[in-house]
Amino acid sequence: MEFIVNNLAPVMFFNLIVFLLFGFPVAFSLAATGVVYGLVAIDLNLMSPLLFQALPQRIFGIVGNDTLLAVPFFTFMGLILERSGMAEDLLDTVGRLFGPLRGGLAIAVVFVGALLAATTGVVSASVISMGLISLPIMLRYGYDRRLATGVIAASGTLSQIIPPSLVLIVLADQLGRSIGDMYRGAMVPGMLLASAYMAYVFIVAVFRPSYVPALPPEARGEVDAKGRRGLRSLLVLTAIGAAVAYFGADYYFRSHTDIPVDERVVIILLFWGCAALAMALGNRLLHLGWLSSLAEQVVFVMIPPLALIFLVLGTIFIGLATPTEGGAMGAVGALIMAVSRGRFSMQQLRQAMESTARLTCFVIFILVGSTIFSLSFRGINGDLWVEQLLLHVPGGELGFLIVVSLITFFLAFFLDFFELAFIIVPLLGPVADKMGIDLIWFGVLLAVNMQTSFVHPPFGFALFYLRSVAPKEDYHDRVTGQLIKKVTTAEIYWGSIPFIVIQVLMVVAVLTMPGMVTHYKSDAPQVNPDSVTFGQDSAYGLDSYGADAGGGFQ
C-alpha cells in the first residue's frame, strides 16, 4: 500500500498503457482510468474531491471550443472532394506532364499527394484514390512494386503535416497556441518532405532506372498533327503568367509595404493563377488556338484546387479569416467544385455528413476521456512526476527533445496520431514550455514524428488503406493483356521502409534547424518594452468624458 501511495501516478500511467495494449477503446480507457484512480486518490487522501466538481465545466468547455469547429469543416471538405473526381483528374494531368521521364509517375504521385494534402487533409482519401488510379498504371509499365506501393502510402500521409492538417489543429489546441501560427510553421517542413520524396525517386531513377521506367510513347497522351505534345505552349503560358504575377505583385507591394512573407507568396500565386486562367478561358471561348490541349487541361484541372487552397490557407495567412472560418469557406468551395463537375448528389452529401459526424464524435470522445484522465493525473501530481522525470534527462533541452522524439516514434507503432496527440501532448507540453522551448516548433516536431505512425509496419493505417485496394490476386491487364502478379503485404511493408527513413531524417532536420519552423515569428510586430507606458495619473485611465475611470477626475 505504501508503494502505491508513493507511486500512484506512474502506476496510473502504466495501467493506461496496459489497457491500450489489450485493445480497449482509447476514449473509454482514458476516462475509466481517470475516474478509477481519481476515486482511489480521494480515498487515500491524495486528491481533493472538489476537483471532480470541475469536470462538467471542463467537458462543456470542450464542446464550446470554437477552435475545434475546424475539424468537422476540414473533414467535410476532404470527403466532398474525394467524391468530386479531383484526384483522378489531377493524376491524369500530372501523369501526362511527367510521364516521359524516368520515375515520372512516382513524381506525379508525390505532387498530387501534396496537392490533395493541401485541399482534403484526409489520409484515407489520398491513399485510396492514388492506389486505385496510379498503382495499376505503375504495375502495367514495370515499376518496382516496393517503390510503387511505398510512394503511394508515403504521399498520402503528407495530409498530416501540410496544412490544413487535422493533427495540426489538435496539436495547436492541446498546446494552447494559434492554429494559424501552427500552419505557418508546418508549411516549410511539409514542402521539404514532399521534395525529399521526389528526390528519392530521382535518385532511384539515376541508379536503378529499371525500377522506374518512363511511359511508352503510346501512353503519354494526345499529340498534334506534327507529333508534338504541347509543352511549348504550356511553357509560354507559364512564362506569361509569371511575368503578370511579377509586375502585378510589384505594383501591389508598392502601396502595401509591411506584408509578411507568406502573404507575399499567396498574392504572387493569386496573380499568376488569375492570369493563366484568363488566358486559357480566352483561348477556349474565342477559339484562338494559341494553347495546346495539354496546356488547357493543366490550367482547368490545376486552378480549381489551387483556388480552394487560396480560399482556405490564403485567407488564413493574409488575415482575412480564422482557421475555423477558412474551414467553413473550404467546405462551401468543395461543394461548389463538386456541383460544377457534375459529381454531386444527395446520397454523396449524406455519406460525407455521416462520415464527418463519426470522425468528429471520435475526436470529441477521445478529448473528453483525455480531460478526465489529465484531471486525475494532475490531481495526484502526475504532471510533476513527468516534469521531474524529463527535466533530469541528460543533455538539457536537446536531450529532452531527443527522448520525446524516440518515445513518440516508438508509440507510433501502436497508436494513431489522434491518440498520441491527446495522451502524450498534455503531459509533454507543459514541460517543454517550462524549458523555454517554442511550442509551435515543438508541435511541428511532434507532427512530423507522428506522421510515421501511418506508414509503420505492421499497424500503419496508410498501409492498410493501400492493402485494401492493391490487387490480391494475379490478373490480366485490360490495356496490355499481360499477366500482372498480385501485390503482397510484405512488398507493401518493405516499400514503406525508405520513406520512414526519410521521415526520420526530416525529424532530425526540424530538430537541428528550428528556423524552418520559427520563421512564423519573423513577421510579427516588434514591441520595444522600454517604449510601453501605462496610465500615469490613474491605474484605470480616462473614460470618454475625460473623467478618471477609477472614480476621480483629472
Side-chain angles (χ1 to χ4, degrees):
M1 181 60 67
E2 183 180 355
F3 173 81
I4 294 178
V5 171
N6 294 330
N7 299 277
L8 190 59
V11 171
M12 178 181 179
F13 188 77
F14 177 76
N15 199 359
L16 172 65
I17 298 299
V18 171
F19 279 152
L20 296 178
L21 292 178
F22 272 108
F24 289 100
V26 176
F28 301 120
S29 297
L30 286 165
T33 304
V35 170
V36 170
Y37 277 87
L39 295 175
V40 170
I42 291 173
D43 185 64
L44 296 176
N45 293 322
L46 297 176
M47 187 176 83
S48 171
L50 296 177
L51 275 178
F52 271 174
Q53 294 182 7
L55 192 56
Q57 186 176 2
R58 287 197 173 199
I59 294 176
F60 184 78
I62 294 171
V63 179
N65 189 347
D66 292 340
T67 301
L68 294 176
L69 276 175
V71 173
F73 286 146
F74 285 124
T75 303
F76 180 77
M77 180 182 72
L79 292 172
I80 290 294
L81 290 176
E82 176 191 2
R83 293 162 171 79
S84 70
M86 184 183 70
E88 292 91 331
D89 293 341
L90 284 173
L91 285 168
D92 176 63
T93 302
V94 181
R96 286 183 61 186
L97 282 176
F98 295 107
L101 305 175
R102 287 196 182 97
L105 275 180
I107 293 175
V109 166
V110 177
F111 185 83
V112 173
L115 273 181
L116 292 177
T119 50
T120 65
V122 181
V123 172
S124 59
S126 300
V127 174
I128 291 174
S129 297
M130 293 189 293
L132 286 171
I133 301 165
S134 297
L135 185 58
I137 301 176
M138 290 179 163
L139 297 178
R140 176 185 305 155
Y141 296 113
Y143 265 67
D144 179 75
R145 293 164 175 272
R146 295 182 179 182
L147 186 140
T149 55
V151 75
I152 290 174
S155 300
T157 63
L158 289 172
S159 301
Q160 296 312 299
I161 188 62
I162 294 179
S165 163
L166 296 183
V167 70
L168 293 176
I169 297 174
V170 173
L171 286 171
D173 177 70
Q174 293 295 294
L175 293 171
R177 291 298 183 267
S178 163
I179 297 178
D181 288 343
M182 191 71 76
Y183 279 176
R184 288 186 180 91
M187 186 61 74
V188 172
M191 294 295 102
L192 286 179
L193 189 58
S195 301
Y197 291 164
M198 292 184 185
Y200 171 70
V201 173
F202 177 77
I203 292 172
V204 172
V206 171
F207 294 99
R208 292 287 190 273
S210 61
Y211 285 13
V212 285
L215 291 182
E218 63 272 11
R220 298 176 185 176
E222 301 176 1
V223 295
D224 60 16
K226 298 182 179 180
R228 296 175 299 190
R229 298 178 55 240
L231 288 177
R232 181 179 299 176
S233 66
L234 178 60
L235 292 176
V236 172
L237 175 66
T238 304
I240 295 175
V244 172
Y246 175 80
F247 290 107
D250 181 66
Y251 176 79
Y252 179 83
F253 294 150
R254 289 177 186 175
S255 57
H256 300 76
T257 55
D258 298 329
I259 299 179
V261 175
D262 49 9
E263 185 175 340
R264 288 177 178 269
V265 173
V266 169
I267 292 172
I268 291 172
L269 292 179
L270 180 62
F271 275 107
W272 197 342
C274 290
L277 182 61
M279 287 186 286
L281 285 174
N283 183 75
R284 174 170 292 189
L285 295 177
L286 301 177
H287 305 286
L288 299 176
W290 291 348
L291 300 179
S292 64
S293 61
L294 177 62
E296 282 194 357
Q297 181 181 351
V298 168
V299 172
F300 291 128
V301 170
M302 298 287 289
I303 291 299
L306 291 176
L308 192 60
I309 292 172
F310 169 76
L311 189 64
V312 177
L313 297 180
T315 54
I316 294 173
F317 287 168
I318 66 179
L320 291 179
T322 65
T324 302
E325 294 165 347
M329 290 192 295
V332 174
L335 286 173
I336 294 174
M337 188 180 298
V339 171
S340 66
R341 290 171 174 265
R343 303 287 187 91
F344 178 80
S345 68
M346 294 305 298
Q347 181 181 2
Q348 290 181 345
L349 178 63
R350 181 177 178 179
Q351 291 174 350
M353 294 177 69
E354 289 178 349
S355 299
T356 301
R358 280 196 298 269
L359 181 61
T360 305
C361 290
F362 168 75
V363 172
I364 295 300
F365 265 93
I366 292 182
L367 188 50
V368 169
S370 172
T371 299
I372 298 172
F373 177 85
S374 63
L375 182 69
S376 297
F377 193 70
R378 293 184 179 185
I380 59 176
N381 295 324
D383 54 334
L384 298 179
W385 168 68
V386 173
E387 181 179 312
Q388 293 301 318
L389 193 66
L390 294 175
L391 285 177
H392 291 86
V393 170
E397 178 182 311
L398 181 60
F400 165 77
L401 292 173
I402 292 174
V403 169
V404 167
S405 298
L406 292 175
I407 292 174
T408 306
F409 183 79
F410 173 75
L411 290 178
F413 279 92
F414 311 102
L415 303 174
D416 71 9
F417 68 97
F418 274 132
E419 296 159 357
L420 287 170
F422 287 128
I423 293 174
I424 69 171
V425 173
L427 301 178
L428 300 176
V431 181
D433 193 28
K434 188 171 184 178
M435 298 181 72
I437 297 173
D438 184 278
L439 291 186
I440 297 294
W441 174 42
F442 185 66
V444 172
L445 178 66
L446 290 178
V448 176
N449 207 331
M450 288 178 187
Q451 189 188 15
T452 61
S453 67
F454 276 91
V455 290
H456 268 165
F459 303 118
F461 282 100
L463 306 182
F464 289 152
Y465 298 145
L466 185 58
R467 174 69 280 177
S468 68
V469 297
K472 301 178 179 64
E473 303 292 339
D474 298 350
Y475 68 98
H476 287 278
D477 184 71
R478 61 182 178 85
V479 175
T480 63
Q482 62 179 327
L483 180 66
I484 305 294
K485 296 290 185 181
K486 65 181 180 181
V487 176
T488 65
T489 303
E491 288 172 336
I492 295 176
Y493 285 171
W494 280 109
S496 68
I497 300 299
F499 295 94
I500 293 176
V501 174
I502 294 174
Q503 291 174 345
V504 171
L505 292 176
M506 182 54 61
V507 172
V508 175
V510 174
L511 182 61
T512 56
M513 294 181 288
M516 69 171 63
V517 176
T518 56
H519 66 85
Y520 79 94
K521 296 189 294 186
S522 61
D523 299 311
Q526 303 296 321
V527 178
N528 183 5
D530 296 332
S531 65
V532 178
T533 59
F534 299 94
Q536 299 175 355
D537 299 311
S538 170
Y540 300 95
L542 301 178
D543 63 15
S544 57
Y545 299 99
D548 186 345
F553 290 90
Q554 290 291 328

